[in-house]
């Protein structure tokens, strides 16, 4: 069963994508929703709000432990920020992904834009960025960089953790969700 963190942000769009792919999922809003979860999606939204809600709802520590024990997780945009081991000028949240990210990294003019590019071996993938972060530095050599756009790292994979600065749930293209569902749980 896939868990979609559903405390704030674009969780409904991930759910629609999983519906299309016929993957069973449940929305995570409280601790008991985590029972039976084998993989987790952390959606885009507002990472500071999500962080506060994770703490208030008692979800932070159990999710951190699940990720540390090897559960596959995909974080998109704000979700990438939650997963990063370091966040420039801020405290980290869940951690687990050895990268340093910078929030709202493209400035106001480039707050929202779309490009098409390669994500690892996936070609012609539409990437939609909305007040996106980017990965400033990878902190371990075995972090795989899956995409660089305009000289900035926007997609990484570290073992069972996929971190994306853009929003794969806001396009019609389901290949990244399929890729994530192929990770062994
Ligand atoms: N700017 C948001 C943040 O810092 C992320 C934006 C998004 O998820 N689309 O949390």
């Amino acid at each position: 069963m896939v868990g979609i963190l559903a405390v704030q942000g674009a969780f409904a769009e991930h759910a629609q994508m999983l519906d299309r792919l016929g993957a069973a999922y449940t929305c995570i809003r409280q601790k008991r929703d985590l029972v039976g979860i084998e993989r987790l999606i952390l959606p885009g939204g507002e990472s500071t709000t999500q962080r506060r809600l994770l703490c208030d709802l008692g979800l932070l520590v159990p999710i951190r432990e699940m990720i540390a024990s090897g559960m596959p997780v995909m974080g998109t945009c704000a979700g990438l920020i939650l997963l990063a081991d370091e966040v420039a000028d801020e405290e980290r949240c869940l951690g687990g992904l050895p990268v340093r990210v910078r929030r709202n990294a493209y400035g106001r003019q480039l707050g929202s834009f779309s490009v098409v590019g390669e994500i690892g071996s996936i070609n012609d993938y539409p990437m939609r960025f909305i007040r996106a972060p980017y990965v400033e530095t990878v902190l371990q050599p075995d972090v795989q960089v899956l995409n660089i756009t305009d000289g900035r790292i926007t997609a990484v994979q570290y073992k069972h953790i996929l971190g994306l600065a853009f929003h794969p749930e806001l396009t019609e293209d389901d290949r990244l969700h399929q890729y994530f569902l192929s990770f062994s749980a």
Side-chain angles (χ1 to χ4, degrees):
M1 177 76 80
V2 184
I4 304 175
L5 183 68
V7 294
Q8 191 270 339
F11 52 87
E13 291 81 354
H14 281 287
Q16 277 169 15
M17 194 64 105
L18 295 185
D19 273 333
R20 265 179 39 194
L21 291 170
Y25 63 86
T26 190
C27 288
I28 308 293
R29 297 198 170 88
Q30 52 191 319
K31 238 165 117 172
R32 67 162 183 260
D33 299 333
L34 291 170
V35 176
I37 295 305
E38 292 161 324
R39 67 186 77 227
L40 184 65
I41 294 178
L42 305 174
E46 187 53 49
S47 59
T48 50
T49 307
Q50 293 181 356
R51 176 174 35 192
R52 182 170 46 73
L53 290 167
L54 284 174
C55 291
D56 292 353
L57 296 166
L59 287 167
L60 186 90
V61 172
I63 290 180
R64 188 182 276 159
E65 284 169 356
M66 289 165 88
I67 296 170
S69 71
M71 178 186 65
V73 55
M74 173 166 76
T76 64
C77 205
L80 164 65
I81 298 167
L82 299 187
L83 287 170
D85 276 346
E86 292 183 14
V87 183
D89 307 325
E90 285 178 44
E91 263 181 67
R92 77 162 189 182
C93 180
L94 293 165
L97 179 60
V99 298
R100 181 168 71 240
V101 297
R102 182 167 290 276
R103 294 180 60 212
N104 300 327
Y106 294 88
R108 277 198 13 228
Q109 278 165 336
L110 273 181
S112 188
F113 62 100
S114 298
V115 293
V116 174
E118 273 172 32
I119 315 294
S121 59
I122 300 176
N123 290 318
D124 296 327
Y125 190 86
M127 290 176 274
R128 175 99 194 272
F129 294 84
I130 302 172
R131 294 190 305 112
Y134 74 93
V135 174
E136 270 189 353
T137 321
V138 303
L139 302 170
Q140 280 190 29
D142 47 353
V143 175
Q144 271 177 273
V145 173
L146 301 181
N147 176 267
I148 298 178
T149 294
D150 289 341
R152 290 175 167 172
I153 300 170
T154 71
V156 291
Q157 183 176 342
Y158 175 69
K159 300 177 181 167
H160 56 292
I161 304 178
L162 191 56
L164 310 171
F166 48 88
H167 285 267
E169 78 286 8
L170 297 184
T171 70
E172 293 292 299
D173 197 318
D174 54 26
R175 287 177 294 169
L176 271 176
H177 284 78
Q178 283 188 45
Y179 176 59
F180 173 63
L181 292 173
S182 77
F183 289 12
S184 55

